[in-house]
């Protein structure tokens, strides 16, 4: 099992793969023009349940400091360019995703 995450900023979609098999597609919110979501290859370095504030029920930190994949306390923001660069997901989606990916999972972010 080689799970990895593909994030398309322009499509506002996060896709979970196992090797070349697509397992699930999730809608996301991404960074706004002045605070874009950084493109590149990263890994999930930590997970924190109930981080508080705008981060919803779960935070998964990326190897780029201060950036992560997290839930939201504003579900109406999903599908939009509204964050400070992080990837926002519905709380139930980020909880499901976290249960399927371990720390160390590769995350590929592209336009």
């Amino acid at each position: 099992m080689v799970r990895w995450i593909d994030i398309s900023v322009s499509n506002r979609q996060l896709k979970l793969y196992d090797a070349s098999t697509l397992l699930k597609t999730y809608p996301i919110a991404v960074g706004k023009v002045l605070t874009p979501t950084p493109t590149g290859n990263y890994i999930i370095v930590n997970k924190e349940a109930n981080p508080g504030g705008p981060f919803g029920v779960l935070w998964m930190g990326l190897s780029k400091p201060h950036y992560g994949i997290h839930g939201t306390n504003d579900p109406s923001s999903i599908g939009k360019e509204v964050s400070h660069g992080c990837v926002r997901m519905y709380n139930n989606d980020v909880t499901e995703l976290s249960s399927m990916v371990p720390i160390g999972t590769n995350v590929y972010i592209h336009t």
Side-chain angles (χ1 to χ4, degrees):
M1 182 171 71
V2 183
R3 293 204 170 156
W4 60 283
I5 293 171
D6 176 274
I7 295 173
S8 169
V9 174
S10 56
N11 291 335
R12 298 185 193 100
Q13 284 187 333
L14 181 153
K15 294 183 177 182
L16 174 63
Y17 286 89
D18 188 353
S20 60
T21 303
L22 176 63
L23 300 178
K24 191 92 188 218
T25 301
Y26 299 98
I28 57 170
V30 296
K32 45 192 163 191
V33 172
L34 294 177
T35 55
T37 299
T39 56
N41 289 299
Y42 308 103
I43 61 169
I44 294 173
V45 295
N46 68 334
K47 296 181 183 184
E48 183 181 347
N50 302 309
F55 304 117
V57 298
L58 187 79
W59 164 271
M60 291 189 287
L62 297 178
S63 52
K64 183 171 182 73
H66 313 295
Y67 290 90
I69 300 168
H70 62 78
T72 181
N73 60 358
D74 181 11
S76 67
S77 69
I78 301 301
K80 301 177 182 156
E81 294 179 4
V82 291
S83 79
H84 288 107
C86 288
V87 174
R88 284 187 200 170
M89 301 179 70
Y90 290 116
N91 285 325
N92 57 332
D93 286 352
V94 78
T95 300
E96 179 181 85
L97 177 66
S98 175
S99 74
M100 294 191 286
V101 295
I103 289 172
T105 297
N106 284 310
V107 179
Y108 173 54
I109 304 175
H110 56 92
T111 53

